[in-house]
Amino acid sequence: MSTEAPAAAIRDQVHATARLAREASISLATATRLAKDAALLAAADALVADTDRIVAANELDVEAARDGGTGEHVLDRLRLDPARVAAFAQGVRDVAALPDPIGEVVRGSVLPNGLRLTQVRVPMGVIGMIYEGRPNVTADAAAICLKAGSAVVLRGSASAARSNEVIVEVMRAAIEKAGLPADLISLLPSADRASATELMRARGLVDLVIPRGGAGLIRTVVEESTVPVIETGTGNCHVYVDAEADLEMALAIVVNAKTHRTSVCNAAESLLVHRDVAEAFLPRVVAALREHDVVIHGDAAFQAVDPAVTEATDEDYATEYLDLEISAKVVDSVDDAITHVRRFSSGHTEAIVTASARTARRFTLGVDSAAVMVNASTRFTDGGEFGFGAEIGISTQKLHARGPMGLTEMTTTTYVVEGDGHVR
Amino acid sequence: MSTEAPAAAIRDQVHATARLAREASISLATATRLAKDAALLAAADALVADTDRIVAANELDVEAARDGGTGEHVLDRLRLDPARVAAFAQGVRDVAALPDPIGEVVRGSVLPNGLRLTQVRVPMGVIGMIYEGRPNVTADAAAICLKAGSAVVLRGSASAARSNEVIVEVMRAAIEKAGLPADLISLLPSADRASATELMRARGLVDLVIPRGGAGLIRTVVEESTVPVIETGTGNCHVYVDAEADLEMALAIVVNAKTHRTSVCNAAESLLVHRDVAEAFLPRVVAALREHDVVIHGDAAFQAVDPAVTEATDEDYATEYLDLEISAKVVDSVDDAITHVRRFSSGHTEAIVTASARTARRFTLGVDSAAVMVNASTRFTDGGEFGFGAEIGISTQKLHARGPMGLTEMTTTTYVVEGDGHVR
């Protein structure tokens, strides 16, 4: 009984928060772009003005994490300084500058019976965000959801609790002063796992849940949620170097995709090389990767090039290292490459390097991922690079949104049908 | 242990079927429209040619259902005769005649760095359909999924098992003869509930599950599925008669929406009338509905008009009757109507009857449903009426698809990014 009481209390709190968010979202559905942008700019100004409070709260988070034994790498992701606060405040301003997706006519026509049919973009309603790590996601997600006409219920990580509380408090006060309901942005307690569980089971109160974080978090949300979910972020991305590749280009792309930034979901994790160019390419690519301190797990052909290459297992081929590590394999054909990718990929991004239009076409149609790069680095799968202006995550599922998600992907549509007494 | 063995056997069977479907779907992703249409036309011809076998199998289903105590109304939905077989065979031909959604460019641009970005419509992969009742859904769903480039795994109701088996057998043989893999269309056993459960939990093997049937089925799938789901069909649809309504028009729309066909999801289930026109309208609408044998559950104002009107409870307002029954209430304003609709609607279709552009706009923006009719019957929310040519169901959720779903809604997209050695 003693464990039941707090669980019920957390459920009540989550439901109460979601109800307030839903109430607030109703007024936002008819808010003008001017009203939304004014609130976002006010929130950005307030974040900058309250930098000291945000940084002070963050210092407590960082200290607690350090005392808890968190490593310096993770501490750095958690840490805020005035420059980082200014950066995410600017991110909020950037969202304000984007076109309003609400009201966009997606399609329209006059039906044979004279009914006028219009499919219009409308807000989602209430969006739940369950995320780990960096507190900048708090401001980003709140700004994107607000601009897209939805209320957001945030559930960040316990390690960033104090930072998130202050960021949300500052943004709530600012948008309220600007004339929008504060409850458009709310934060759930993060000390207890139950708040996340209740959020993803608040079907009817919450329209969409987006998990953003490690594979474990995402798996949990997908398994347990009854609210519709958009899965994000896991990126076991491949680069396939074809028989007809420009090997100079291939080398640059492989090195960039693997080493430019290792901790991101669009970094390459696996290298496939066509047998016809293995002899020429393997020594060069192995040397270049080793020069960047990349640990290589390869098949026999790769191991033959350099004794430092360890044997790749199926587990390696399935792993998203997010580090200076890569799996590597020689394949007999583009179809072999496609089969390998279909088996091991997480469906994020694959790249092919080839001069052959036919092979590029075959690979593009053959793999089944959110993005396919032809003669370009996997690192380009990104809302900013794609010109979306803002990104709330990268969807690796097929339903609703696939690839980088911007404002449009945070909306739904409705059909408006205008008649003059039409009956069937 | 004895209950575990069959459960595991069913799981293995579902997974094996889904794997074959996935394998088959890979070849379909690159099949031309010509190849797909030829297979569909062959399937339609085969269904007609095998009408006798289909009807004979169906007779066994109908007999078994009758022996089990199924009522005549439901038996009629289950029953197939040569005309009904011809009708769904024609439906398959109609799908063949529709444009191919695969390969459509959704958006495209050249990025500032010269990368060419194209978002292209591609197949979903493997679609699971869990449905009740009428065996014509089997042919419809198979045709739509095939045309949209996906394999389908069907799980129909036990009552239609023999009919479905023959329909699927005939279609499989026909598409295989036309050069496509038979495993694009498969049917799971329906005797055991476990086959449905395993299908909705086959995440990674199945890309999307669509439940089509009663509220109980849909709730179960939403609760238990780990595969992404599109919720369909529940329609607690409202007609709101505004103070500025043309009452003649309002009467025609209410009667049509309620009585034209009662067992469908776009039939009206609830009537809201503005107080200013209650005195003039209530006696007329009550008389007209009673003339069509509609049972009315109303508030005090409706009860005052006719003693046969019973008192409406909140449960009535929440009920999708699917019969000659309606709930009814007088409201003080359009905002009152919106609040009532937001509270009780299932998010399918709402209609407003008004001569006021301002009120129509307010209602349209205020309710939160897949479709809003202005001066037209709720009965128009339908893929056929909307000109989609084919419909696999009507989505009442906000994610991915909302409202009638045609071929486009059965696809996903991928980003193809073409460069010339681009790195970041």
Side-chain angles (χ1 to χ4, degrees):
Chain A
M1 288 295 282
S2 62
T3 57
E4 282 303 294
I10 288 172
R11 180 179 313 133
D12 289 348
Q13 184 181 3
V14 171
H15 286 192
T17 303
R19 274 198 200 91
L20 290 172
R22 177 157 296 278
E23 202 55 45
S25 76
I26 293 174
S27 68
L28 192 62
T30 52
T32 61
R33 170 174 179 177
L34 291 174
K36 292 191 284 189
D37 291 353
L40 288 172
L41 294 175
D45 290 348
L47 289 170
V48 172
D50 277 326
T51 297
D52 291 351
R53 271 181 69 210
I54 295 168
V55 171
N58 180 257
E59 272 165 12
L60 297 176
D61 280 337
V62 172
E63 267 168 41
R66 184 184 288 118
D67 291 351
T70 302
E72 193 50 44
H73 180 68
V74 176
L75 286 183
D76 181 58
R77 289 165 66 96
L78 177 59
R79 191 177 286 119
L80 293 177
D81 57 23
R84 286 186 174 179
V85 175
F88 67 67
Q90 184 55 44
V92 174
R93 285 192 193 97
D94 293 345
V95 171
L98 292 172
D100 191 340
I102 300 306
E104 186 200 339
V105 173
V106 179
R107 55 180 159 183
S109 60
V110 177
L111 303 180
N113 58 9
L115 280 176
R116 184 181 299 273
L117 176 73
T118 317
Q119 187 183 20
V120 189
R121 213 168 270 299
V122 297
M124 196 65 82
V126 177
I127 298 174
M129 279 283 299
I130 302 176
Y131 56 108
E132 292 171 338
R134 293 180 297 170
N136 65 313
V137 173
T138 307
D140 278 1
I144 291 174
C145 292
L146 190 152
K147 179 83 183 213
S150 283
V152 69
V153 179
L154 300 157
R155 203 288 195 176
S157 69
S159 64
R162 297 172 191 86
S163 316
N164 288 341
E165 271 163 32
V166 176
I167 292 167
V168 167
E169 190 192 313
V170 167
M171 293 184 82
R172 281 174 63 97
I175 66 169
E176 188 160 44
K177 216 170 145 191
L180 292 184
D183 289 323
L184 290 174
I185 305 172
S186 43
L187 180 71
L188 295 177
S190 52
D192 196 310
R193 200 175 160 285
S195 64
T197 310
E198 293 301 337
L199 180 60
M200 60 183 104
R201 298 194 69 87
R203 193 174 177 93
L205 293 173
V206 177
D207 296 291
L208 164 65
V209 162
I210 304 175
R212 197 165 142 176
L217 167 71
I218 289 163
R219 196 163 42 241
T220 302
V221 174
V222 162
E223 280 284 329
E224 298 187 8
S225 187
T226 55
V227 173
V229 172
I230 299 182
E231 205 181 334
T232 67
T234 318
N236 184 17
C237 304
H238 296 75
V239 178
Y240 166 59
V241 178
D242 182 52
E244 293 176 69
D246 173 332
L247 296 186
E248 208 55 54
M249 182 193 289
L251 200 63
I253 287 174
V254 171
V255 169
N256 180 263
K258 180 65 260 181
T259 70
H260 179 251
R261 222 176 130 196
T262 56
S263 64
V264 290
C265 59
N266 58 18
E269 306 291 0
S270 199
L271 169 64
L272 304 174
V273 178
H274 193 287
R275 188 166 302 283
D276 290 358
V277 290
E279 200 184 324
F281 189 61
L282 262 48
R284 294 178 65 187
V285 75
V286 167
L289 288 170
R290 303 244 309 134
E291 202 169 290
H292 282 84
D293 299 320
V294 176
V295 174
I296 305 172
H297 309 276
D299 65 357
F302 274 88
Q303 290 173 71
V305 169
D306 186 332
V309 174
T310 64
E311 191 182 344
T313 60
D314 276 0
E315 206 191 316
D316 282 305
Y317 291 126
T319 298
E320 184 188 16
Y321 296 109
L322 296 173
D323 210 337
L324 288 170
E325 277 189 83
I326 197 166
S327 64
K329 190 183 174 184
V330 169
V331 294
D332 289 331
S333 64
V334 64
D335 286 342
D336 262 15
I338 291 168
T339 303
H340 181 95
V341 167
R342 280 202 166 247
R343 178 164 170 211
F344 291 106
S345 171
S346 61
H348 190 296
T349 300
E350 326 302 340
I352 179 173
V353 188
T354 186
S356 159
R358 170 179 283 179
T359 308
R361 179 182 152 98
R362 193 160 184 93
F363 187 81
T364 302
L365 291 172
V367 299
D368 187 25
S369 298
V372 186
M373 302 284 156
V374 178
N375 296 326
S377 170
T378 54
R379 289 279 291 121
F380 286 105
T381 302
D382 174 270
E385 292 292 328
F386 279 13
F388 295 174
E391 179 192 287
I392 203 159
I394 295 180
S395 165
T396 51
Q397 75 177 34
K398 294 180 182 172
L399 214 63
H400 186 73
R402 203 175 185 206
M405 298 186 287
L407 288 174
T408 304
E409 286 74 18
M410 290 301 99
T411 65
T412 182
T413 61
T414 192
Y415 287 100
V416 178
V417 186
E418 294 162 286
D420 191 25
H422 286 65
V423 293
R424 280 179 78 179
Chain B
M1 288 297 282
S2 64
T3 58
E4 283 302 294
I10 288 172
R11 180 179 312 132
D12 289 348
Q13 185 181 4
V14 171
H15 287 192
T17 304
R19 274 199 200 91
L20 289 173
R22 177 157 298 278
E23 203 55 45
S25 76
I26 293 174
S27 68
L28 192 61
T30 52
T32 61
R33 172 176 177 174
L34 291 175
K36 293 190 285 190
D37 291 355
L40 288 172
L41 294 175
D45 290 347
L47 288 169
V48 173
D50 276 327
T51 297
D52 290 350
R53 271 181 68 210
I54 295 170
V55 171
N58 179 256
E59 272 166 13
L60 298 177
D61 280 336
V62 172
E63 268 168 42
R66 183 183 288 119
D67 291 350
T70 302
E72 194 49 44
H73 181 66
V74 176
L75 286 183
D76 181 58
R77 289 166 65 96
L78 176 60
R79 189 175 290 118
L80 293 178
D81 55 23
R84 286 187 173 179
V85 174
F88 67 67
Q90 184 55 42
V92 173
R93 285 194 194 98
D94 293 345
V95 170
L98 291 172
D100 191 340
I102 300 305
E104 185 200 341
V105 173
V106 179
R107 54 180 161 184
S109 61
V110 177
L111 303 179
N113 58 10
L115 280 176
R116 184 180 299 273
L117 177 74
T118 317
Q119 188 182 18
V120 188
R121 213 167 272 298
V122 297
M124 195 66 81
V126 177
I127 298 173
M129 280 284 300
I130 302 176
Y131 56 108
E132 292 171 338
R134 294 180 296 172
N136 64 312
V137 173
T138 307
D140 278 2
I144 291 175
C145 292
L146 191 152
K147 179 83 182 212
S150 283
V152 70
V153 179
L154 301 156
R155 203 287 193 178
S157 69
S159 64
R162 296 171 191 85
S163 318
N164 289 339
E165 271 162 32
V166 176
I167 291 168
V168 167
E169 191 193 312
V170 168
M171 292 183 82
R172 281 174 62 98
I175 66 170
E176 188 160 43
K177 214 169 147 192
L180 292 184
D183 288 323
L184 291 173
I185 306 172
S186 43
L187 180 72
L188 294 177
S190 52
D192 197 309
R193 198 176 162 287
S195 64
T197 310
E198 293 302 337
L199 180 59
M200 60 182 106
R201 298 194 69 86
R203 193 175 176 92
L205 294 173
V206 177
D207 295 291
L208 164 64
V209 162
I210 302 175
R212 198 165 142 177
L217 167 71
I218 289 163
R219 198 163 42 240
T220 301
V221 174
V222 162
E223 281 285 328
E224 297 187 8
S225 186
T226 56
V227 174
V229 173
I230 299 181
E231 205 181 332
T232 66
T234 318
N236 184 16
C237 304
H238 296 75
V239 178
Y240 165 60
V241 179
D242 183 51
E244 295 176 68
D246 173 331
L247 296 186
E248 208 56 54
M249 182 192 290
L251 200 63
I253 287 175
V254 170
V255 169
N256 181 262
K258 179 65 260 180
T259 68
H260 179 252
R261 220 176 131 195
T262 55
S263 65
V264 289
C265 59
N266 59 16
E269 305 291 0
S270 199
L271 168 64
L272 304 173
V273 177
H274 193 289
R275 190 167 300 282
D276 290 357
V277 290
E279 201 184 322
F281 189 61
L282 262 50
R284 295 178 63 187
V285 75
V286 167
L289 287 170
R290 302 242 312 134
E291 202 167 291
H292 283 84
D293 298 320
V294 177
V295 174
I296 306 172
H297 309 277
D299 65 358
F302 273 89
Q303 290 173 71
V305 168
D306 186 330
V309 174
T310 63
E311 191 182 342
T313 61
D314 276 359
E315 206 192 316
D316 282 306
Y317 291 127
T319 298
E320 184 188 17
Y321 296 109
L322 297 173
D323 210 336
L324 287 170
E325 276 190 84
I326 196 166
S327 64
K329 192 185 174 184
V330 168
V331 295
D332 289 331
S333 64
V334 65
D335 286 343
D336 262 16
I338 291 168
T339 303
H340 181 95
V341 168
R342 278 200 168 251
R343 179 165 169 210
F344 291 105
S345 172
S346 61
H348 190 298
T349 300
E350 325 302 340
I352 180 173
V353 187
T354 186
S356 160
R358 171 179 282 176
T359 308
R361 179 181 152 100
R362 194 164 183 90
F363 186 82
T364 303
L365 291 171
V367 299
D368 187 25
S369 298
V372 186
M373 302 284 155
V374 178
N375 297 325
S377 169
T378 55
R379 289 278 292 123
F380 285 106
T381 302
D382 174 89
E385 292 291 328
F386 280 13
F388 296 175
E391 178 191 288
I392 202 159
I394 295 180
S395 164
T396 52
Q397 73 177 34
K398 295 180 181 173
L399 215 63
H400 186 73
R402 205 175 185 206
M405 297 187 288
L407 288 175
T408 304
E409 287 73 20
M410 290 302 98
T411 65
T412 182
T413 62
T414 192
Y415 286 101
V416 178
V417 186
E418 294 162 286
D420 190 26
H422 286 65
V423 293
R424 281 180 77 177

